[in-house]
Structure formats: structure tokens, C-alpha cells
Amino acid sequence: MNHIYTLICCFVGLNVFAQSQLEKANTLHDRFIYVEAAKEYELYLETAKNVPAEVYMNVGDTYYHLRDFNNAKKYYEKWYTLAGPNSNNLQGYQYYDTLRFLKEYDKASTVVETYIKERQIDGLLNAYYEERSRFNELLKGDTLYEVKNLDINSQYADFGGSFSDNTFVFSSSRNKDINQITERDNTPYLAIYKAELNANGELTDVGLYNDKLETPYHDATVSFSPNSKYLYYASSFQDGRRKVFKGDKRNYFKIYRVDVTAKRFKKELLPFNGDEYSVGHPFVSNDGKKLYFASDMPGGYGKADIYVCDIYEDGTYSKPLNLGPLINSLVDDVFPFVSGNTLYFSSEGHVGYGGLDIYKSTLTDGIYGATINLGPGINSNADDFAYVAGKSKNTGYFSSNRDGGKGGDDIYSFKYNLKECIQSITGTIYNVETKKPLANAIVTVYDSENNEFRKVETNENGVYSLDLNCAQEYQVEASKPGFSKDQLQLNTDLIPGHLMKLVDFKLKDLSDIFITDGVTEKIKIDPIYFEYYRYNINDIAAIQMRKVLNAMIAYPEMIIKIEAHTDQRGTDYFNKTLSTNRALSTRDWLIDNGIDPSRIASAIGYGESKPINICDEENENCTEVEYSENRRSEFIVVSR
């Protein structure tokens, strides 16, 4: 009996110990102190019975952030078996991401498909299939990038970067003798460093950027205004020399602006910083008018989303605008960099190799479109992030914690040769009304400078195909004499040999725009209304003139002559002069809108000499309607 009692006491004691161990581990986990949390969780699991699914999730989460993906997978699978795909969005994505880190792409895809189907999110499954299809093609291809680990990297974290003239400013935790050690992963806090770009394109002479900015905690991810007057960067929020922790025991990042030309630095907090969320990864556009950044502020689509705000001339800022669900995902979308109309950013939520991958998206009509993975070499199954354009074309920098580096995160340079990367597009040109294919239609491709790049003709089945360079922006236009034009903007990706099918166009037959008056063929338009005794093309007249313009564009070989007429009121001389001015005005309008002058054979004013309705000199025989019919401009087809 005493033995049984002793065993019961031991069992109860073990349960109490296990429960205490779990509470300690959960507290460390919730405070992001992952190294110690992992130790406490392992001690708990040695004696625990009937472990709740949530605990397995937390243990997987702990190892995920410590980048021990084999252990993360082990515990995420235990959680997933018990809880299923629909219980926690974030950890579901981290389990999926763990599988990608381990290159178990098929299994990862099954996890995502199950998750999306369970959640029944409209359109998300098709979007995932489209991204996965592009990614599967990337897996088949070779890299287009020549990548080099930089000499400036240390055994600690080095990442990011921004140029101020030839000074490259980046983030590093190498300052171990001054900065404290983080409890999260036992690494030194980050500081801002610089290196100089020499004549050979190499970064040398590494040193602390400025000790006036140095704090004992994180200072990182910098960007400069165009004139290098202002430095934007993120820092752990501090009160004096102490970090400020909120009620959830978290210290949040905030973005600061500093006038680095001033004798004394004054750290200016930006107005959209918050006390319950972090703001970081600032990037100022080349014209200095927009500030992009990442934040987990409320109202986003996931953990950290990318936002943009306007920078006004008086130094104030507009309300931040979320870049939307085509860019931002359920998890982290960070490190924005913008060049022209192209946004580069890093994301865990789009289909990729694992961890953060670098993507690009093009701004069209005020909206960033589909995301394009930059492909192997620049992306890996580790974290790849912080894209920065280089000083010369087709070069740049990015950061990664991939195997083979010198420290936790390293900065890499890259250059790529897109001449070796060719893609193809194919499609069919249709008559929009009959739905029948159009043979001998023309497909013309213009590059980003609006220069003609390719031109092909459809075959008897209305089908065309042509080759384009990778990673380029094109304007593709379909046309045929006698038909309207159709066009679209097309951005190729970085997949060599990629075939884009079903790039179709629909053209409208414009043959009904002509009328025949006896043996004379004319362009059919409504009357062009001029103001009384005037001959300039006003907004109302321009509506009809555009019909003439469209007809001449549709028939590029067509030649016309212009005839202008007045009613019988007024003197012969006045009417002749007025009609001549109106004929010349319509001719000039067409030329100003792109019509070659050689396509206008003549522009003659006939005054009142060729009326449709005969009216006497006393103005007694014509109504106002009949007078208006006499006041007309006619566009007579000479040839087409």
C-alpha cells in the first residue's frame, strides 16, 4: 500500500512539475525567447502525457524561428494530425513553409490545397494553382544569376542596404562588443554600418555609419531621400536608453527620420508609428514623393503587410495605403524596393522555394499586378530578401541566410544576362462580333521605350506566335485594316522557355463606318457642330472628329479630302472664308492627333455653293433643321 501511495505521489508530482515546466515554456515562447523556450519544452515533453495539440504547435513554432526545420516539421506534424488544417492560419502556413525549407514541395502543396479548400476562400485556390504552375516551371530551369557572397560580410547577421552616392549603408549585428545580446536567439542587436563602393565595383572600408545614431538595441533597414539629406530607419522603441515594452511584453519597432546634414541629429518619429504594432523596412522612392514600408498594423491581410504613403513638400505624410491582396498575404510581406513602375519585395506567403523569396510586381493603372518569383539563384529554400538595385544595369544586391554563407544573414551581389532568356507567347485574333478568327491580322510588340520590337502576321486560322525577352515590359497591339485595334500590357517573367498561351485579341469590324452618296464614298459621322461664326474644334465637335480619326487609324492607307459647307445666311464672301477656316481646322486637328498630312488630299471650304436644301435669299423657304443640314463637314474617301 505504501508503494502504491508513493507511486501516486510521484505521478502527481511529475504532473505538477510538467505543468510548471509547460507554463514556463509557454511564457518564454510568448516573449519570443526561443532558445530557452526550446529547452523548457523538451523538459516538459520528457514526462508529459496526452500533450495538447496547441503545445505541439508552439514547439514547432519555436523550432521554426530557430531555423531547426527538422524538429519544426516533427512537432508541426504532431499538431497537424491532432488539430487539422483549419485550426490556426499562421501555424498552418509555417508548417507549409517548413516543408518548403526541406524541399518537400509536393507535400507542402497538399497542405496548402487542403487548407484553402477547408477555408473555402473565393478565388484563392485558382490563384494558388496559377502561382504553383509558374513555380513548377522555375524548378525545371537553370539560374540566370551570377551570385557572389560579399567580402564585407561577418560571422554575424549582415543584410539590407541603401546607397547614398557611393556609400552603401546596411544592417549588421557585428557590433558585439557594444550592443547587448538579444534573448530571442542569443545574437547581438543590429546596428547601422557603411561600406564604400570603389572603382572596381567592390564594397570596402566597412565601419559604423554614425555613432550618433547608435543605441544599445536594434537599429536597422535604412533608406535615404533622393538628396541624401534625410535618413529613414527602423529602431527598437526606447525611452532614453531603455527599451519600452507594452502590455503584451513586446518591444515594437518604429521608423525614424533624421536630417544627417544637421550638426546635431534629431530623431523624428513618423506619425503612422503605433504603440501596439511595429513599423519598419522603409524605402523612399527615387523622386522622394513616396515612402514604402512594412507593418503589422491592424487592418492588414496577414502578419506584416507592405504600405505606401505620400511625402508632401512640407514634410508631412498622407495616410498609409495597404498595397492590397495581390501583394500582401497571410504571413510576412516585407522589404519593399521600387524601381520605376516595378515593386520588388520579399514574401513567405506566395509560392516559392521556402522561407522568404524575392518577387516583383508591376504597377498598372494604379494597381500592382501578379507577383513574379525572381527565380533560382537569387531565391533558395532559405530566406532571401532585401533586393537593392546596383549602380550598373542588370546588377544588384540581396540578402540571404542560405547555406554556405559567413554568418546568420549575408549580403550577396548579383548580375544577370537576360539575353539568354527567351519566352514565347501565342494566341488567336478574333472578330469580336462573329467570333471567327482573323487571318492576316498584325500583332506588333513595343518595348518599354515604345520602340517596335516584333511584328508578326496571323495565319489562316488567326493564330500568331512570337518570342520575347524575359523580365521585360511590353505593349502588344493587334490590328487589321478595316478593324478596331486591341492592345494589352504584358510583363514577361524569369522562366527561360516559358510559353504564355491564349494571349488573344478581339477586333471590331469597322466596315459600316462608310456610306455611299451616289458614286462617292464618305466617312459616316453625325454633323460637326461649330459655334456660331467660329471654326475651332470644341469638345462637342471633337466627338465626331474622333470617329474620323478612328476610321483613318483602322485604314492606314486611306486618303481623304475634306469639304466644309455653310448655310445661305450671310454674304458669299463671309461664308466662303468661314467654311475654308472650318475645313482647315478639321484638317489640322487630324494632323495634331497623329494623321500624316499626306493622307489628306485637300481641305476646301465651299461656303453656301453646294447646299443640300435650296433656300432663297429672303430666308423664307428653309427651316432651322434644313439650314443645319446645309452646315456640314464631309470627309470623302479618295482611296482605301
Side-chain angles (χ1 to χ4, degrees):
M1 190 73 165
N2 288 335
H3 293 296
I4 296 173
Y5 179 75
T6 301
L7 288 172
I8 291 173
C9 288
C10 289
F11 181 73
V12 171
L14 286 173
N15 274 341
V16 170
F17 173 76
Q19 188 62 35
S20 173
Q21 206 79 46
L22 177 60
E23 291 176 0
K24 184 177 181 181
N26 283 340
T27 298
L28 291 167
H29 169 272
D30 293 344
R31 292 183 60 194
F32 313 114
I33 306 174
Y34 293 122
V35 173
E36 297 302 319
K39 296 176 183 177
E40 298 299 330
Y41 276 127
E42 292 295 347
L43 289 173
Y44 162 76
L45 292 171
E46 287 178 3
T47 58
K49 306 294 183 182
N50 300 319
V51 177
E54 182 181 355
V55 173
Y56 284 130
M57 180 186 73
N58 284 351
V59 181
D61 182 49
T62 297
Y63 282 115
Y64 176 86
H65 286 97
L66 290 174
R67 299 185 53 77
D68 183 347
F69 298 113
N70 286 306
N71 267 324
K73 175 189 172 185
K74 171 184 172 182
Y75 289 109
Y76 276 142
E77 285 185 340
K78 291 179 181 291
W79 160 75
Y80 193 76
T81 300
L82 291 174
N86 206 28
S87 59
N88 186 293
N89 297 351
L90 177 58
Q91 267 65 29
Y93 254 89
Q94 290 182 177
Y95 173 39
Y96 157 70
D97 198 36
T98 296
L99 294 171
R100 291 192 302 170
F101 268 112
L102 298 173
K103 299 185 178 180
E104 297 183 26
Y105 296 120
D106 290 340
K107 190 171 184 179
S109 181
T110 300
V111 170
V112 170
E113 284 187 67
T114 304
Y115 164 76
I116 295 174
K117 290 174 181 177
E118 288 279 339
R119 302 293 290 181
Q120 296 181 345
I121 302 174
D122 291 341
L124 186 57
L125 190 60
N126 286 336
Y128 170 74
Y129 285 150
E130 183 179 343
E131 283 195 8
R132 188 182 67 182
S133 176
R134 289 200 298 267
F135 177 69
N136 287 340
E137 291 194 56
L138 283 173
L139 289 175
K140 301 173 187 176
D142 295 326
T143 180
L144 298 168
Y145 298 91
E146 181 183 328
V147 172
K148 178 184 177 182
N149 188 296
L150 297 185
D151 293 337
I152 64 172
N153 290 311
S154 69
Q155 61 178 309
Y156 299 97
D158 303 284
F159 65 90
S162 181
F163 276 102
S164 173
D165 295 325
N166 286 324
T167 300
F168 184 76
V169 184
F170 63 99
S171 307
S172 178
S173 61
R174 69 184 67 198
N175 199 18
K176 62 183 180 64
D177 294 330
I178 298 177
N179 283 7
Q180 299 182 32
I181 303 298
T182 66
E183 294 178 318
R184 177 169 178 158
D185 54 9
N186 286 340
T187 59
Y189 282 97
L190 295 163
I192 301 173
Y193 275 75
K194 65 179 179 179
E196 299 301 322
L197 186 68
N198 65 23
N200 297 322
E202 299 170 338
L203 293 172
T204 60
D205 301 328
V206 177
L208 194 65
Y209 174 70
N210 195 305
D211 57 9
K212 296 178 183 178
L213 290 177
E214 180 80 346
T215 72
Y217 304 106
H218 283 312
D219 304 295
T221 60
V222 305
S223 183
F224 290 91
S225 61
N227 56 8
S228 295
K229 176 180 174 64
Y230 292 108
L231 169 72
Y232 294 78
Y233 73 104
S235 180
S236 305
F237 185 49
Q238 302 164 45
D239 181 7
R241 303 289 285 181
R242 298 180 60 185
K243 289 170 69 174
V244 176
F245 292 89
K246 303 307 294 184
D248 57 3
K249 298 183 179 180
R250 291 182 61 185
N251 172 253
Y252 293 97
F253 278 86
K254 297 179 186 290
I255 293 179
Y256 295 83
R257 187 181 79 162
V258 174
D259 183 349
V260 293
T261 65
K263 291 183 178 179
R264 296 186 62 182
F265 286 177
K266 181 180 179 182
K267 296 169 62 175
E268 172 192 345
L269 275 169
L270 299 194
F272 45 77
N273 289 309
D275 292 331
E276 301 295 335
Y277 57 84
S278 286
V279 180
H281 305 170
F283 175 79
V284 182
S285 61
N286 289 335
D287 60 7
K289 294 181 179 180
K290 292 188 180 296
L291 173 65
Y292 296 81
F293 62 90
S295 175
D296 59 352
M297 64 176 60
Y301 294 91
K303 292 173 64 180
D305 280 7
I306 298 175
Y307 293 80
V308 63
C309 64
D310 294 321
I311 304 175
Y312 298 129
E313 290 185 2
D314 62 359
T316 60
Y317 304 85
S318 69
K319 181 179 179 180
L321 174 68
N322 189 296
L323 292 193
L326 291 179
I327 299 298
N328 294 312
S329 66
L330 183 65
V331 282
D332 282 330
D333 303 281
V334 289
F335 288 98
F337 180 91
V338 177
S339 177
N341 288 328
T342 302
L343 166 72
Y344 296 87
F345 69 104
S346 299
S347 175
E348 289 181 333
H350 297 281
V351 181
Y353 293 88
L356 290 166
D357 272 16
I358 302 174
Y359 300 82
K360 73 172 186 175
S361 176
T362 301
L363 183 68
T364 304
D365 296 329
I367 298 174
Y368 283 104
T371 57
I372 297 175
N373 190 299
L374 294 195
I378 200 167
N379 285 320
S380 68
N381 66 319
D383 286 327
D384 306 291
F385 57 99
Y387 177 102
V388 181
K391 289 289 187 176
S392 56
K393 189 176 182 180
N394 295 337
T395 66
Y397 305 87
F398 70 96
S399 304
S400 179
N401 58 7
R402 63 187 62 185
D403 292 339
K406 299 176 183 177
D409 299 312
D410 280 3
I411 303 172
Y412 293 79
S413 65
F414 71 85
K415 60 180 179 180
Y416 55 89
N417 183 5
L418 294 179
K419 294 179 181 178
E420 300 176 359
C421 183
I422 302 296
Q423 297 184 348
S424 299
I425 65 170
T426 183
T428 305
I429 313 299
Y430 295 97
N431 183 316
V432 69
E433 293 165 336
T434 67
K435 308 297 190 294
K436 293 181 179 180
L438 293 173
N440 306 120
I442 303 298
V443 177
T444 308
V445 180
Y446 300 92
D447 63 21
S448 59
E449 303 296 326
N450 205 33
N451 299 314
E452 184 178 306
F453 180 75
R454 292 279 190 276
K455 179 182 282 188
V456 296
E457 189 173 292
T458 59
N459 62 19
E460 65 274 9
N461 298 315
V463 176
Y464 75 94
S465 62
L466 50 83
D467 292 335
L468 302 175
N469 293 330
C470 294
Q472 298 294 318
E473 179 180 324
Y474 295 104
Q475 191 80 16
V476 186
E477 180 182 86
S479 63
K480 184 176 182 177
F483 288 80
S484 64
K485 291 185 177 180
D486 190 13
Q487 60 184 12
L488 61 81
Q489 184 172 306
L490 182 71
N491 293 281
T492 53
D493 54 34
L494 285 162
I495 307 174
H498 184 197
L499 174 63
M500 287 175 278
K501 300 179 180 179
L502 304 177
V503 186
D504 298 338
F505 296 91
K506 297 176 181 180
L507 309 184
K508 178 179 173 57
D509 188 348
L510 297 178
S511 60
D512 61 351
I513 64 175
F514 300 103
I515 58 173
T516 301
D517 183 4
V519 296
T520 302
E521 188 176 48
K522 304 176 181 178
I523 299 174
K524 182 174 65 176
I525 62 170
D526 294 331
I528 296 178
Y529 290 103
F530 292 94
E531 295 179 44
Y532 192 56
Y533 287 167
R534 294 179 183 269
Y535 51 85
N536 60 297
I537 304 296
N538 58 27
D539 291 342
I540 297 175
I543 295 173
Q544 300 305 316
M545 288 299 301
R546 291 200 177 277
K547 295 181 181 180
V548 180
L549 178 66
N550 292 337
M552 298 194 74
I553 292 173
Y555 291 86
E557 304 299 323
M558 183 168 65
I559 296 175
I560 66 169
K561 61 181 181 179
I562 302 171
E563 295 184 355
H565 306 271
T566 66
D567 60 30
Q568 291 93 328
R569 291 177 288 190
T571 66
D572 291 346
Y573 175 80
F574 178 83
N575 287 336
K576 173 69 172 175
T577 302
L578 181 62
S579 63
T580 297
N581 287 335
R582 287 176 175 176
L584 296 175
S585 179
T586 53
R587 181 201 63 183
D588 293 343
W589 188 94
L590 289 171
I591 293 172
D592 290 342
N593 282 274
I595 299 302
D596 192 296
S598 65
R599 297 180 59 195
I600 304 173
S602 61
I604 300 173
Y606 288 92
E608 60 184 78
S609 63
K610 293 185 178 183
I612 295 175
N613 303 301
I614 304 300
C615 304
D616 65 13
E617 297 298 329
E618 284 76 27
N619 304 333
E620 295 178 356
N621 297 330
C622 284
T623 64
E624 283 301 320
V625 173
E626 290 171 326
Y627 278 126
S628 67
E629 290 174 346
N630 287 341
R631 298 192 304 271
R632 65 197 188 279
S633 291
E634 296 178 320
F635 300 86
I636 298 169
V637 178
V638 176
S639 64
R640 61 180 176 96

